[in-house]
Amino acid sequence: MSDLDTIDVSHINFASTVFPTDDDMKLWHSLSPAEQRAVIARKVEEGLQSPPAQKASKAEIMGEVLAEMKHDL
């Protein structure tokens, strides 16, 4: 077990998964370096444990995005 495994970061959640919001940046900068490393390690582990992405063409992806956009309107 590494030191990162002993740091509880389960309560730390960011609003954005791609581009950090101002609040996300404030939260990130409020964390200690050890907490930042633990958050990164948690996200890496989540990615490794998730199923592989299904292959899709650009056209399929764009079709899904456009369909979602129309649905949200």
Side-chain angles (χ1 to χ4, degrees):
M1 182 183 339
S2 75
D3 291 341
L4 297 179
D5 294 333
T6 62
I7 300 172
D8 180 17
V9 292
S10 62
H11 62 285
I12 300 171
N13 293 303
F14 296 94
S16 175
T17 58
V18 180
F19 299 105
T21 64
D22 288 338
D23 287 340
D24 287 342
M25 292 304 296
K26 287 177 189 172
L27 174 58
W28 180 256
H29 291 297
S30 74
L31 301 175
S32 69
E35 288 173 320
Q36 290 175 348
R37 288 191 300 274
V39 168
I40 293 168
R42 177 185 70 183
K43 288 302 196 180
V44 167
E45 187 60 30
E46 287 173 1
L48 292 172
Q49 296 302 320
S50 67
Q54 294 181 344
K55 291 185 179 182
S57 70
K58 288 180 187 177
E60 291 170 323
I61 294 169
M62 288 304 298
E64 290 178 18
V65 169
L66 292 172
E68 286 180 23
M69 289 174 63
K70 287 180 183 177
H71 181 269
D72 291 339
L73 294 177

Coordinates of all heavy atoms in Angstrom, one line a residue:
M1 N 0.8 -1.2 0.0 CA 0.0 0.0 0.0 C 0.9 1.2 0.0 O 1.8 1.4 0.8 CB -0.9 0.0 1.2 CG -1.8 1.1 1.3 SD -3.0 1.4 2.7 CE -3.1 -0.2 3.5
S2 N 0.6 2.2 -0.9 CA 1.3 3.4 -0.9 C 0.7 4.4 0.0 O -0.4 4.3 0.5 CB 1.4 4.0 -2.3 OG 0.1 4.6 -2.6
D3 N 1.5 5.5 0.3 CA 1.0 6.6 1.1 C -0.3 7.2 0.6 O -1.1 7.6 1.3 CB 2.1 7.6 1.3 CG 3.2 7.2 2.1 OD1 3.1 6.2 2.9 OD2 4.3 7.8 2.0
L4 N -0.4 7.2 -0.7 CA -1.6 7.7 -1.4 C -2.8 7.0 -1.0 O -3.9 7.5 -1.0 CB -1.4 7.8 -2.9 CG -0.3 8.7 -3.4 CD1 -0.3 8.6 -4.9 CD2 -0.4 10.1 -3.0
D5 N -2.7 5.7 -0.7 CA -3.9 4.9 -0.4 C -4.4 5.2 1.0 O -5.6 4.9 1.3 CB -3.5 3.4 -0.4 CG -3.1 2.9 -1.8 OD1 -3.6 3.4 -2.8 OD2 -2.3 1.9 -1.9
T6 N -3.7 5.9 1.8 CA -4.1 6.2 3.1 C -4.8 7.6 3.2 O -5.3 8.0 4.2 CB -3.0 6.2 4.1 OG1 -2.0 7.2 3.8 CG2 -2.3 4.8 4.2
I7 N -4.8 8.3 2.1 CA -5.4 9.7 2.0 C -6.8 9.6 1.5 O -7.0 9.1 0.4 CB -4.5 10.6 1.1 CG1 -3.1 10.8 1.7 CG2 -5.2 12.0 1.0 CD1 -2.2 11.5 0.8
D8 N -7.8 10.0 2.3 CA -9.2 9.9 1.9 C -9.5 11.1 1.0 O -9.6 12.2 1.5 CB -10.1 9.9 3.1 CG -11.5 9.8 2.7 OD1 -11.9 9.4 1.6 OD2 -12.4 10.1 3.6
V9 N -9.7 10.9 -0.3 CA -10.1 11.9 -1.2 C -11.5 11.7 -1.7 O -11.9 12.3 -2.7 CB -9.1 12.1 -2.3 CG1 -7.8 12.7 -1.8 CG2 -8.9 10.8 -3.1
S10 N -12.3 10.8 -1.1 CA -13.6 10.4 -1.6 C -14.5 11.6 -1.6 O -15.5 11.6 -2.3 CB -14.2 9.3 -0.8 OG -14.3 9.6 0.6
H11 N -14.3 12.6 -0.7 CA -15.2 13.7 -0.6 C -14.8 14.8 -1.6 O -15.5 15.8 -1.7 CB -15.1 14.3 0.8 CG -13.7 14.8 1.2 ND1 -12.7 13.9 1.5 CD2 -13.2 16.0 1.2 CE1 -11.6 14.7 1.7 NE2 -11.9 15.9 1.6
I12 N -13.7 14.7 -2.4 CA -13.3 15.7 -3.3 C -13.8 15.4 -4.7 O -13.5 14.3 -5.3 CB -11.7 15.7 -3.4 CG1 -11.2 16.1 -2.0 CG2 -11.3 16.7 -4.4 CD1 -9.7 16.0 -1.9
N13 N -14.7 16.2 -5.2 CA -15.3 16.0 -6.5 C -15.3 17.3 -7.3 O -15.6 18.4 -6.7 CB -16.8 15.6 -6.3 CG -16.9 14.2 -5.7 OD1 -16.3 13.3 -6.3 ND2 -17.5 14.1 -4.6
F14 N -14.9 17.2 -8.5 CA -14.8 18.4 -9.4 C -16.0 18.5 -10.3 O -16.6 17.4 -10.7 CB -13.5 18.4 -10.2 CG -12.3 18.4 -9.4 CD1 -11.6 17.3 -8.9 CD2 -11.8 19.7 -9.0 CE1 -10.5 17.4 -8.1 CE2 -10.7 19.8 -8.2 CZ -10.0 18.6 -7.8
A15 N -16.5 19.7 -10.6 CA -17.7 19.8 -11.4 C -17.5 19.4 -12.8 O -18.4 18.9 -13.5 CB -18.2 21.3 -11.3
S16 N -16.3 19.7 -13.3 CA -16.0 19.4 -14.8 C -15.1 18.2 -14.9 O -14.3 18.0 -14.1 CB -15.4 20.6 -15.4 OG -15.0 20.4 -16.7
T17 N -15.3 17.5 -16.0 CA -14.4 16.4 -16.3 C -13.4 16.7 -17.4 O -12.5 16.0 -17.6 CB -15.2 15.2 -16.8 OG1 -16.0 15.5 -17.9 CG2 -16.1 14.6 -15.7
V18 N -13.6 17.9 -18.0 CA -12.7 18.3 -19.1 C -12.0 19.6 -18.8 O -10.8 19.7 -18.6 CB -13.4 18.4 -20.4 CG1 -12.5 18.8 -21.5 CG2 -14.1 17.0 -20.7
F19 N -12.7 20.7 -18.8 CA -12.2 22.0 -18.5 C -12.6 22.5 -17.1 O -13.8 22.6 -16.8 CB -12.7 23.0 -19.6 CG -12.3 22.7 -21.0 CD1 -13.3 22.2 -21.8 CD2 -11.0 22.8 -21.4 CE1 -12.9 21.8 -23.1 CE2 -10.7 22.5 -22.7 CZ -11.6 22.0 -23.6
P20 N -11.6 22.7 -16.3 CA -12.0 23.0 -14.9 C -12.6 24.4 -14.8 O -12.3 25.3 -15.4 CB -10.6 23.1 -14.2 CG -9.6 23.2 -15.2 CD -10.2 22.7 -16.5
T21 N -13.6 24.4 -13.9 CA -14.3 25.7 -13.6 C -13.4 26.5 -12.6 O -12.5 25.9 -12.1 CB -15.7 25.4 -12.9 OG1 -15.5 24.7 -11.7 CG2 -16.6 24.5 -13.8
D22 N -13.8 27.7 -12.4 CA -13.1 28.5 -11.4 C -13.2 27.8 -10.0 O -12.2 27.8 -9.3 CB -13.7 29.9 -11.3 CG -13.4 30.8 -12.5 OD1 -12.4 30.4 -13.2 OD2 -14.1 31.8 -12.7
D23 N -14.3 27.3 -9.7 CA -14.5 26.6 -8.4 C -13.6 25.4 -8.3 O -13.0 25.0 -7.3 CB -15.9 26.2 -8.1 CG -16.8 27.4 -7.7 OD1 -16.2 28.4 -7.3 OD2 -18.0 27.3 -7.9
D24 N -13.5 24.6 -9.5 CA -12.6 23.5 -9.5 C -11.1 23.9 -9.3 O -10.4 23.2 -8.5 CB -12.7 22.8 -10.9 CG -13.9 22.0 -11.1 OD1 -14.6 21.7 -10.1 OD2 -14.3 21.7 -12.3
M25 N -10.7 25.0 -9.9 CA -9.3 25.5 -9.7 C -9.1 25.9 -8.3 O -8.0 25.6 -7.7 CB -9.0 26.6 -10.7 CG -9.0 26.2 -12.1 SD -7.9 24.9 -12.5 CE -6.3 25.6 -12.1
K26 N -10.1 26.5 -7.6 CA -9.9 26.9 -6.2 C -9.8 25.7 -5.3 O -8.9 25.6 -4.5 CB -11.1 27.8 -5.8 CG -11.1 29.2 -6.3 CD -12.4 29.9 -5.9 CE -12.5 31.2 -6.6 NZ -13.7 31.9 -6.4
L27 N -10.6 24.7 -5.6 CA -10.5 23.4 -4.9 C -9.2 22.8 -5.1 O -8.6 22.3 -4.1 CB -11.7 22.5 -5.3 CG -11.7 21.1 -4.7 CD1 -11.7 21.1 -3.2 CD2 -12.9 20.3 -5.2
W28 N -8.7 22.7 -6.3 CA -7.5 22.0 -6.6 C -6.3 22.7 -5.9 O -5.5 22.1 -5.2 CB -7.2 22.0 -8.1 CG -5.9 21.4 -8.5 CD1 -4.7 22.0 -8.8 CD2 -5.6 20.0 -8.5 NE1 -3.7 21.1 -9.1 CE2 -4.2 19.8 -8.9 CE3 -6.3 18.9 -8.2 CZ2 -3.6 18.6 -9.0 CZ3 -5.7 17.6 -8.3 CH2 -4.4 17.5 -8.7
H29 N -6.3 24.0 -5.9 CA -5.2 24.8 -5.2 C -5.3 24.7 -3.7 O -4.3 25.0 -3.0 CB -5.2 26.2 -5.8 CG -4.7 26.3 -7.2 ND1 -3.5 25.9 -7.6 CD2 -5.3 26.7 -8.3 CE1 -3.3 26.0 -8.9 NE2 -4.5 26.5 -9.4
S30 N -6.5 24.4 -3.2 CA -6.6 24.3 -1.7 C -6.1 22.9 -1.2 O -5.9 22.8 0.0 CB -8.1 24.4 -1.3 OG -8.9 23.3 -1.7
L31 N -5.9 22.0 -2.1 CA -5.4 20.7 -1.7 C -3.9 20.7 -1.5 O -3.2 21.4 -2.1 CB -5.8 19.6 -2.8 CG -7.2 19.4 -3.1 CD1 -7.4 18.5 -4.3 CD2 -8.0 19.0 -2.0
S32 N -3.5 19.8 -0.6 CA -2.0 19.7 -0.4 C -1.5 18.9 -1.5 O -2.2 18.2 -2.3 CB -1.8 18.9 0.9 OG -2.2 17.5 0.8
P33 N -0.2 19.0 -1.8 CA 0.4 18.2 -2.8 C 0.1 16.7 -2.7 O -0.2 16.0 -3.7 CB 1.9 18.4 -2.7 CG 2.0 19.8 -2.1 CD 0.8 19.9 -1.1
A34 N 0.1 16.2 -1.5 CA -0.2 14.7 -1.3 C -1.7 14.5 -1.7 O -2.0 13.4 -2.3 CB 0.0 14.3 0.1
E35 N -2.6 15.4 -1.4 CA -4.0 15.2 -1.8 C -4.2 15.3 -3.3 O -4.9 14.5 -3.9 CB -4.9 16.3 -1.1 CG -5.1 16.0 0.4 CD -5.8 17.2 1.1 OE1 -5.5 18.4 0.7 OE2 -6.6 16.9 1.9
Q36 N -3.4 16.2 -3.9 CA -3.5 16.3 -5.4 C -3.0 15.0 -6.0 O -3.7 14.5 -6.9 CB -2.6 17.5 -5.9 CG -3.2 18.8 -5.5 CD -2.3 20.0 -5.9 OE1 -1.1 19.8 -6.3 NE2 -2.8 21.2 -5.9
R37 N -1.9 14.4 -5.5 CA -1.4 13.2 -6.1 C -2.4 12.0 -5.8 O -2.7 11.2 -6.7 CB -0.1 12.8 -5.5 CG 1.1 13.7 -6.0 CD 2.4 13.2 -5.6 NE 2.6 13.1 -4.1 CZ 3.0 14.1 -3.3 NH1 3.3 15.3 -3.9 NH2 3.2 13.9 -2.1
A38 N -3.1 12.0 -4.7 CA -4.1 11.0 -4.4 C -5.3 11.1 -5.3 O -5.9 10.1 -5.7 CB -4.5 11.1 -2.9
V39 N -5.7 12.4 -5.6 CA -6.8 12.6 -6.5 C -6.5 12.0 -7.9 O -7.2 11.3 -8.6 CB -7.3 14.1 -6.6 CG1 -8.2 14.3 -7.8 CG2 -7.9 14.5 -5.3
I40 N -5.3 12.4 -8.4 CA -4.8 11.9 -9.7 C -4.7 10.4 -9.7 O -5.2 9.7 -10.6 CB -3.4 12.5 -10.0 CG1 -3.6 14.0 -10.2 CG2 -2.8 11.8 -11.2 CD1 -2.2 14.7 -10.3
A41 N -4.2 9.8 -8.6 CA -4.1 8.3 -8.5 C -5.5 7.7 -8.6 O -5.7 6.6 -9.2 CB -3.4 7.9 -7.2
R42 N -6.5 8.3 -7.9 CA -7.8 7.8 -7.9 C -8.4 7.8 -9.3 O -9.0 6.8 -9.7 CB -8.7 8.6 -6.9 CG -10.2 8.2 -7.0 CD -11.1 9.1 -6.1 NE -11.2 10.4 -6.8 CZ -11.9 11.4 -6.3 NH1 -12.5 11.3 -5.1 NH2 -12.0 12.5 -7.0
K43 N -8.2 8.9 -10.0 CA -8.7 9.0 -11.3 C -8.1 8.0 -12.3 O -8.7 7.4 -13.2 CB -8.6 10.4 -11.9 CG -9.5 11.4 -11.2 CD -10.9 11.0 -11.4 CE -11.9 12.0 -11.2 NZ -13.3 11.5 -11.4
V44 N -6.8 7.8 -12.1 CA -6.1 6.8 -13.0 C -6.6 5.4 -12.7 O -6.9 4.7 -13.6 CB -4.5 6.9 -12.7 CG1 -3.8 5.7 -13.3 CG2 -4.0 8.2 -13.3
E45 N -6.8 5.1 -11.4 CA -7.3 3.8 -11.1 C -8.7 3.6 -11.6 O -9.1 2.5 -12.1 CB -7.3 3.6 -9.6 CG -7.7 2.2 -9.1 CD -6.8 1.1 -9.7 OE1 -5.6 1.3 -9.9 OE2 -7.3 0.0 -9.9
E46 N -9.6 4.6 -11.5 CA -10.9 4.6 -12.1 C -10.9 4.3 -13.6 O -11.6 3.5 -14.1 CB -11.7 5.8 -11.8 CG -12.1 6.0 -10.4 CD -12.8 7.4 -10.1 OE1 -12.9 8.2 -11.1 OE2 -13.1 7.7 -9.0
G47 N -9.9 4.9 -14.3 CA -9.8 4.7 -15.7 C -9.3 3.3 -16.0 O -9.8 2.7 -17.0
L48 N -8.4 2.8 -15.3 CA -7.9 1.4 -15.5 C -9.0 0.4 -15.2 O -9.0 -0.7 -15.8 CB -6.7 1.2 -14.6 CG -5.4 2.0 -15.0 CD1 -4.3 1.8 -13.9 CD2 -4.9 1.6 -16.4
Q49 N -9.9 0.7 -14.3 CA -10.9 -0.3 -13.9 C -12.2 -0.2 -14.8 O -13.0 -1.1 -14.8 CB -11.3 -0.1 -12.5 CG -10.2 -0.4 -11.5 CD -9.7 -1.8 -11.6 OE1 -10.4 -2.7 -11.8 NE2 -8.3 -1.9 -11.5
S50 N -12.3 0.8 -15.6 CA -13.4 1.0 -16.5 C -13.3 0.1 -17.7 O -12.2 -0.2 -18.1 CB -13.6 2.5 -16.8 OG -12.6 2.9 -17.7
P51 N -14.4 -0.2 -18.3 CA -14.3 -1.0 -19.5 C -13.7 -0.2 -20.7 O -13.8 1.0 -20.7 CB -15.8 -1.4 -19.8 CG -16.6 -0.3 -19.1 CD -15.8 0.1 -18.0
P52 N -13.1 -0.9 -21.6 CA -12.5 -0.2 -22.8 C -13.6 0.5 -23.6 O -14.7 0.0 -23.6 CB -11.8 -1.3 -23.6 CG -12.4 -2.6 -23.1 CD -12.9 -2.4 -21.7
A53 N -13.2 1.6 -24.2 CA -14.2 2.4 -25.0 C -14.5 1.6 -26.3 O -13.6 0.9 -26.8 CB -13.6 3.7 -25.4
Q54 N -15.7 1.7 -26.7 CA -16.1 1.0 -27.9 C -15.5 1.8 -29.1 O -15.6 3.1 -29.1 CB -17.6 0.9 -28.0 CG -18.1 -0.1 -27.0 CD -19.6 -0.2 -27.2 OE1 -20.3 0.6 -27.8 NE2 -20.2 -1.2 -26.5
K55 N -15.1 1.2 -30.1 CA -14.6 1.9 -31.3 C -15.8 2.4 -32.1 O -16.8 1.8 -32.2 CB -13.8 0.9 -32.2 CG -12.5 0.5 -31.6 CD -11.7 -0.4 -32.6 CE -10.4 -0.7 -31.9 NZ -9.5 -1.5 -32.8
A56 N -15.6 3.7 -32.5 CA -16.6 4.3 -33.3 C -16.0 5.3 -34.3 O -14.9 5.8 -34.0 CB -17.6 5.1 -32.4
S57 N -16.6 5.4 -35.4 CA -16.1 6.3 -36.4 C -16.4 7.8 -36.0 O -17.3 8.0 -35.2 CB -16.7 6.0 -37.8 OG -18.1 6.4 -37.8
K58 N -15.7 8.7 -36.7 CA -16.0 10.1 -36.4 C -17.5 10.4 -36.7 O -18.2 11.2 -36.0 CB -15.1 11.0 -37.3 CG -13.7 11.1 -36.8 CD -12.9 12.0 -37.7 CE -11.4 11.9 -37.4 NZ -10.6 12.8 -38.3
A59 N -18.0 9.8 -37.8 CA -19.4 10.1 -38.2 C -20.3 9.6 -37.2 O -21.4 10.3 -36.8 CB -19.7 9.4 -39.6
E60 N -20.1 8.4 -36.6 CA -20.9 7.9 -35.5 C -20.9 8.8 -34.3 O -22.0 9.1 -33.7 CB -20.5 6.5 -35.2 CG -20.8 5.4 -36.2 CD -20.1 4.1 -36.0 OE1 -19.0 4.1 -35.4 OE2 -20.7 3.1 -36.3
I61 N -19.7 9.2 -33.9 CA -19.6 10.1 -32.8 C -20.3 11.4 -33.0 O -21.1 11.9 -32.1 CB -18.1 10.3 -32.4 CG1 -17.5 9.0 -32.0 CG2 -18.0 11.4 -31.3 CD1 -16.0 9.1 -31.8
M62 N -20.1 12.0 -34.1 CA -20.8 13.3 -34.4 C -22.3 13.1 -34.5 O -23.1 13.9 -34.0 CB -20.3 13.9 -35.8 CG -18.9 14.4 -35.7 SD -18.7 15.7 -34.4 CE -19.8 16.9 -34.9
G63 N -22.8 12.0 -35.0 CA -24.2 11.7 -35.1 C -24.8 11.6 -33.7 O -25.9 12.1 -33.4
E64 N -24.1 11.0 -32.7 CA -24.5 10.9 -31.3 C -24.6 12.3 -30.7 O -25.5 12.6 -30.0 CB -23.6 9.9 -30.6 CG -23.8 8.5 -30.9 CD -22.9 7.6 -30.2 OE1 -22.3 8.0 -29.1 OE2 -22.7 6.4 -30.6
V65 N -23.5 13.0 -30.9 CA -23.5 14.4 -30.4 C -24.6 15.3 -30.9 O -25.3 15.9 -30.1 CB -22.1 15.0 -30.6 CG1 -22.1 16.5 -30.3 CG2 -21.0 14.3 -29.9
L66 N -24.8 15.2 -32.2 CA -25.9 16.0 -32.8 C -27.2 15.6 -32.3 O -28.1 16.4 -32.0 CB -25.8 16.0 -34.3 CG -24.6 16.7 -34.9 CD1 -24.5 16.4 -36.4 CD2 -24.6 18.2 -34.6
A67 N -27.4 14.3 -32.1 CA -28.7 13.8 -31.6 C -28.9 14.3 -30.2 O -30.1 14.6 -29.8 CB -28.7 12.3 -31.7
E68 N -27.9 14.3 -29.3 CA -28.0 14.7 -28.0 C -28.3 16.2 -27.9 O -29.1 16.7 -27.1 CB -26.7 14.4 -27.2 CG -26.6 13.0 -26.8 CD -25.3 12.7 -26.1 OE1 -24.7 13.6 -25.4 OE2 -24.8 11.6 -26.1
M69 N -27.7 17.0 -28.8 CA -27.9 18.4 -28.9 C -29.3 18.7 -29.3 O -30.0 19.6 -28.7 CB -26.9 19.1 -29.9 CG -25.5 19.1 -29.4 SD -24.4 19.8 -30.6 CE -24.9 21.4 -30.9
K70 N -29.9 18.0 -30.2 CA -31.3 18.2 -30.6 C -32.2 17.8 -29.5 O -33.2 18.5 -29.3 CB -31.6 17.4 -31.9 CG -31.0 17.9 -33.1 CD -31.3 17.0 -34.3 CE -30.6 17.5 -35.6 NZ -30.9 16.7 -36.7
H71 N -31.9 16.8 -28.8 CA -32.7 16.3 -27.7 C -32.7 17.4 -26.6 O -33.8 17.6 -25.9 CB -32.2 15.0 -27.1 CG -33.0 14.5 -26.0 ND1 -32.7 14.8 -24.7 CD2 -34.1 13.7 -26.0 CE1 -33.6 14.2 -23.9 NE2 -34.4 13.5 -24.6
D72 N -31.6 18.1 -26.3 CA -31.5 19.1 -25.3 C -32.2 20.4 -25.6 O -32.4 21.2 -24.7 CB -30.0 19.3 -24.9 CG -29.4 18.1 -24.2 OD1 -30.1 17.3 -23.7 OD2 -28.1 18.1 -24.2
L73 N -32.5 20.6 -26.9 CA -33.1 21.9 -27.3 C -34.6 21.9 -26.9 O -35.4 21.6 -26.6 CB -33.0 22.1 -28.8 CG -31.5 22.3 -29.3 CD1 -31.5 22.5 -30.8 CD2 -31.0 23.5 -28.6

